[in-house]
Amino acid sequence: MSAVAAGIFGFFLMVVLMLIGLPIAAVMLLLGMIGGMAAFGDAFLISSASVAWGTMSENGLTSIPLFVLLGELLLRSGMADRMYMVFAAWLGRLPGGLLHTNIGCCALFAATSGSSVATAATIGTVALPSLKKRGYPMRESLGSIAAGGTLGILIPPSINFIIYGSMTNTSVGKLFIAGIVPGLLLAGLFMVWIYVSSVVRKLDVAYDEVPFAERVRLLKHLVEPLIVFGIVIGSLYTGVATATESASLGVIAGLIFIIAGGRFSLSLMQNCFLSSARTSGIILFIVVGAFVLNLALSLTGIGEALTKWATSFGLGRVSLLMLLIVFYLILGMFMDTLSMMVATIPLTFPVVSAAGVDPIWFGVFIVIMCELGLITPPVGMNLYVVQGIRSDGGPISDVIMGSIPYAIIMILFTIVLIVFPQLVTWLPNLMRGA
Amino acid sequence: MKRLEGIAATLFGLAFLLLSFAVAVETIGRKVFNVSLQGVDELGGYVLAVGSAMAMLVALAGRAHVRIDLLHDLMPRSLRILLNSISIFAIALSAVVLVRMAHIAWSDSISYNSTAQTPWATPLKYPQGLWLASLALFALFACVLAAKLIASLARGDFEGIDRDFSPKGTKDELAEELEDIQARGAVAQATLPGSAKP
């Protein structure tokens, strides 16, 4: 079997094993191990030993559990719950009202990277009762929460960027900064859509008239999350701190706010520890599996052969990326998004690099593809989370239909980024030392 | 088992909390006062190595390692049990492979007296020894789970297998989150003052 055939066969085998429900991380680790040992015997085990130590003690990856811990602290201490109220008071009067609140809140919430189920569940739980009470149409409400919940992995800090950076040797700091403009633009486009569709359909809903003074007073609830966000992103942007350092500063700042606000308790900490350990364990196991698989692909030459094969078609940058949108759209319908990302980077990154695509830009591209995967059925995690929160017992097709406009916006937005890559690369290029 | 999960999670959390404190002090010290506690980077790597093994154990105890459950729920029970069995064995085997890798790395460090390429020049056998031990705990835990599954199979306790070894779907995870949301009174926190009347 040629290396290309072996690679394609291996990839399909892997996807099938994942789809029938075997643990993603173990599938990658064991397939990599079997392939590597078939080619090199014990020598592969020995080289993978140093890769395993290198990966599991890599300082850059240390930021993953730290950012997860930061997210859990902010979420479980209730800091995020109060943010919803502020957005409701300020955005509730726009056409589309509280639907904007969902998007705005999700965008700011993105500054936390705890469990994504926890994030979507929180926003959904606090938002749905108000939406229902004020007569918002169900589909649109559910769709805005499911779609808003995807913004978290694009707006920094984002675990997906840390892993992408580590797998491709790309600066995590720059990836974080690169996510800001597209993340805000995408949130803005979601809000434009809500505005336009509400005006066109003459959506008429009740809203709470909050006096201006009260609205200003409410802004104090944004101070804490904005300071934490400012510390994390500011220290990265100015080059003062690495990802791990900025995460640590964020954790300490978050903890100070929790203690100062009288919200500190042992049970809160225990909760945060348990869920951040769990989330980190899931992620790190997948990362280790992906590194072993990656090693097997590169040592056996399969990765290189596949790259050569793919580049031999002579696709230009634009057609290659359009093809990848279709590839990720389909894969994202069926796969867990983080797994999709780590399983495909070893194959797609070398190909797009050879086509001259900027590695930072591609990081943003792949994360938007992951976002898309979160709301495309049949396996779109956010769809199920949002469906799980509603109490009216309606069908999941409501959530799916409500999310479709947002999925279309994401795809169109990606095409805009392909045409204007500067939207992504502009801000990180301004960074110090860039 | 539940206690081990709790202990591992607490160790994990405390380790990273202390680490973030050390890193924050180091970062501020270096940037503001120009004083550097050298080696905090290195410490971070070791905490990650040991912490990730603990975290993988906690995730396993919570049936949280990602499995796509799209087809799982549609399958007949016999097929589900087969897949759940393969899954726990695959995790146990992966854990054993990781232990073997850690063992190779550790014994190499001992035989070559390897030290880290850092100002501390830490003899690698110490952090790698801890890493090996924590991975061994993870592997042991996975093997105990696999043994439990075999025992359930032998007893014919198929319901127990469905309950204890099925992937934890979004549904279960969500149920836990909703409990937490209720416990912290999130809805009340997020409600505008004066909006109680519809």
Side-chain angles (χ1 to χ4, degrees):
Chain A
M1 195 162 31
S2 77
V4 172
I8 293 174
F9 171 76
F11 183 75
F12 275 101
L13 178 66
M14 176 177 76
V15 172
V16 168
L17 291 175
M18 289 174 175
L19 281 184
I20 59 172
L22 297 182
I24 305 280
V27 167
M28 287 193 283
L29 193 148
L30 294 177
L31 275 185
M33 208 35 123
I34 292 168
M37 288 188 70
F40 304 106
D42 277 354
F44 182 75
L45 194 62
I46 293 167
S47 31
S48 61
S50 60
V51 169
W53 172 248
T55 310
M56 292 179 79
S57 67
E58 186 192 322
N59 190 260
L61 292 180
T62 310
S63 58
I64 294 178
L66 290 172
F67 277 124
V68 172
L69 181 62
L70 171 61
E72 295 292 335
L73 286 171
L74 298 186
L75 182 75
R76 294 189 199 280
S77 67
M79 214 180 271
D81 305 334
R82 286 181 291 275
M83 275 161 36
Y84 186 83
M85 177 168 66
V86 187
F87 278 95
W90 281 90
L91 300 176
R93 286 151 25 120
L94 294 171
L98 287 178
L99 299 179
H100 293 289
T101 308
N102 295 344
I103 302 292
C105 209
C106 286
L108 189 56
F109 220 96
T112 71
S113 334
S115 130
S116 29
V117 174
T119 307
T122 301
I123 299 204
T125 313
V126 300
L128 279 178
S130 326
L131 292 166
K132 220 175 146 188
K133 201 164 69 184
R134 287 167 187 75
Y136 281 83
M138 206 54 178
R139 269 187 193 178
E140 283 71 10
S141 306
L142 298 170
S144 69
I145 299 172
T150 67
L151 291 169
I153 54 175
L154 184 56
I155 297 177
S158 152
I159 305 292
N160 293 50
F161 278 142
I162 301 173
I163 295 173
Y164 175 87
S166 154
M167 291 184 74
T168 61
N169 279 323
T170 311
S171 152
V172 174
K174 284 190 182 177
L175 285 165
F176 276 10
I177 302 302
I180 296 178
V181 172
L184 293 180
L185 281 177
L186 196 54
L189 287 176
F190 287 172
M191 291 170 81
V192 168
W193 161 252
I194 290 173
Y195 187 99
V196 171
S197 65
S198 305
V199 170
V200 169
R201 275 181 309 176
K202 302 195 174 63
L203 179 71
D204 183 28
V205 286
Y207 66 86
D208 297 310
E209 181 65 60
V210 186
F212 186 72
E214 174 67 12
R215 273 189 276 152
V216 171
R217 200 186 60 79
L218 283 173
L219 285 178
K220 69 169 191 248
H221 293 302
L222 289 188
V223 172
E224 291 180 0
L226 282 177
I227 289 180
V228 173
F229 185 75
I231 288 176
V232 170
I233 299 308
S235 63
L236 273 174
Y237 187 75
T238 53
V240 169
T242 62
T244 303
E245 290 165 352
S246 76
S248 301
L249 292 170
V251 168
I252 298 302
L255 202 61
I256 290 174
F257 284 133
I258 289 172
I259 295 172
R263 296 187 295 268
F264 183 85
S265 73
L266 280 183
S267 71
L268 169 71
M269 294 314 281
Q270 236 162 5
N271 259 343
C272 290
F273 287 171
L274 185 65
S275 62
S276 50
R278 195 178 284 165
T279 305
S280 308
I282 296 170
I283 297 168
L284 293 168
F285 197 18
I286 291 178
V287 171
V288 173
F291 270 89
V292 173
L293 183 65
N294 214 344
L295 182 72
L297 284 175
S298 70
L299 289 184
T300 53
I302 289 178
E304 208 190 325
L306 280 175
T307 309
K308 271 202 184 128
W309 175 72
T311 43
S312 70
F313 293 101
L315 286 178
R317 177 180 155 276
V318 174
S319 34
L320 176 66
L321 290 171
M322 298 301 269
L323 200 66
L324 282 180
I325 292 182
V326 178
F327 172 73
Y328 279 115
L329 176 67
I330 296 173
L331 212 54
M333 287 178 177
F334 300 99
M335 276 184 82
D336 161 70
T337 55
L338 182 66
S339 318
M340 170 176 94
M341 192 183 95
V342 297
T344 56
I345 286 175
L347 304 176
T348 55
F349 183 76
V351 177
V352 295
S353 298
V357 174
D358 180 83
I360 303 273
W361 186 93
F362 189 62
V364 170
F365 171 88
I366 213 166
V367 166
I368 298 178
M369 292 298 107
C370 289
E371 290 190 281
L372 191 57
L374 285 170
I375 54 167
T376 44
V379 180
M381 197 188 59
N382 282 23
L383 300 175
Y384 291 92
V385 173
V386 173
Q387 170 69 8
I389 301 162
R390 69 195 285 199
S391 50
D392 65 345
I396 189 157
S397 57
D398 284 348
V399 193
I400 296 172
M401 295 306 287
S403 301
I404 285 178
Y406 298 97
I408 294 173
I409 292 174
M410 284 180 192
I411 295 174
L412 294 177
F413 181 63
T414 311
I415 295 173
V416 170
L417 292 185
I418 293 175
V419 181
F420 301 104
Q422 310 86 308
L423 286 173
V424 175
T425 50
W426 167 73
L427 197 57
N429 282 341
L430 291 180
M431 279 170 78
R432 215 191 280 182
Chain B
M1 295 287 242
K2 206 71 203 161
R3 254 186 79 190
L4 187 60
E5 179 190 13
I7 294 171
T10 309
L11 280 179
F12 169 91
L14 285 178
F16 278 99
L17 206 57
L18 290 176
L19 176 70
S20 57
F21 192 73
V23 174
V25 167
E26 203 275 340
T27 310
I28 295 170
R30 191 179 32 153
K31 289 294 166 182
V32 182
F33 304 106
N34 238 341
V35 197
S36 170
L37 299 165
Q38 281 185 336
V40 178
D41 278 12
E42 188 183 345
L43 182 69
Y46 302 152
V47 171
L48 178 70
V50 177
S52 52
M54 292 290 137
M56 290 193 267
L57 187 155
V58 174
L60 180 58
R63 286 187 291 131
H65 284 301
V66 181
R67 292 173 57 188
I68 298 171
D69 57 1
L70 171 70
L71 300 173
H72 185 270
D73 299 340
L74 307 173
M75 289 175 182
R77 178 182 266 177
S78 51
L79 208 54
R80 264 199 328 255
I81 287 178
L82 177 69
L83 280 170
N84 287 341
S85 312
I86 297 176
S87 293
I88 187 66
F89 286 116
I91 289 181
L93 183 60
S94 305
V96 170
V97 168
L98 286 175
V99 171
R100 178 75 189 113
M101 287 179 190
H103 185 251
I104 292 173
W106 178 67
S107 9
D108 278 359
S109 295
I110 292 179
S111 24
Y112 300 116
N113 263 325
S114 322
T115 53
Q117 308 284 334
T118 57
W120 281 3
T122 316
L124 281 176
K125 62 184 171 189
Y126 298 117
Q128 286 180 343
L130 278 174
W131 176 53
L132 172 61
S134 51
L135 279 174
L137 191 66
F138 169 53
L140 186 69
F141 189 81
C143 291
V144 169
L145 283 182
K148 265 180 77 174
L149 180 120
I150 294 175
S152 303
L153 275 178
R155 275 201 314 273
D157 177 13
F158 300 126
E159 238 162 66
I161 295 179
D162 248 354
R163 186 186 58 234
D164 297 337
F165 294 94
S166 288
K168 180 167 171 179
T170 314
K171 220 186 208 169
D172 296 351
E173 204 183 327
L174 189 63
E176 281 179 15
E177 284 311 326
L178 292 180
E179 249 172 60
D180 186 71
I181 287 169
Q182 197 154 35
R184 67 173 192 261
V187 177
Q189 294 267 23
T191 308
L192 281 167
S195 70
K197 43 188 187 308

